[in-house]
Amino acid sequence: MFGISELAILLIVVIAVLGAKRLPELTRSLGKSTRILKSEARAMKSDQGHGAADSADTARS
């Protein structure tokens, strides 16, 4: 995939293109997106766990 040097160059290019003023806004929105993605993944895992228990109960009946 990418090495450390490639990621550093990419980060420098992003900073140069977007500018220092928009960088905090960008990182904030990236953090929010990451939190939403993690919470949705947890919700899907818990739904799958409940679904497996429900189908096991149905099979016993």
Side-chain angles (χ1 to χ4, degrees), residues 1-4 6-7:
M1 191 88 180
F2 288 112
I4 297 295
E6 288 89 0
L7 290 175

Side-chain angles (χ1 to χ4, degrees), residues 9-54:
I9 292 171
L10 182 63
L11 182 63
I12 291 169
V13 170
V14 167
I15 290 171
V17 170
L18 296 178
K21 289 184 179 181
R22 291 192 55 202
L23 194 59
E25 179 185 334
L26 180 66
T27 55
R28 193 174 303 118
S29 65
L30 181 64
K32 285 181 183 178
S33 300
T34 304
R35 282 192 297 270
I36 291 170
L37 181 63
K38 283 182 180 181
S39 67
E40 290 296 325
R42 284 188 205 120
M44 286 181 65
K45 279 186 178 181
S46 68
D47 287 346
Q48 288 176 352
H50 292 298
D54 292 340

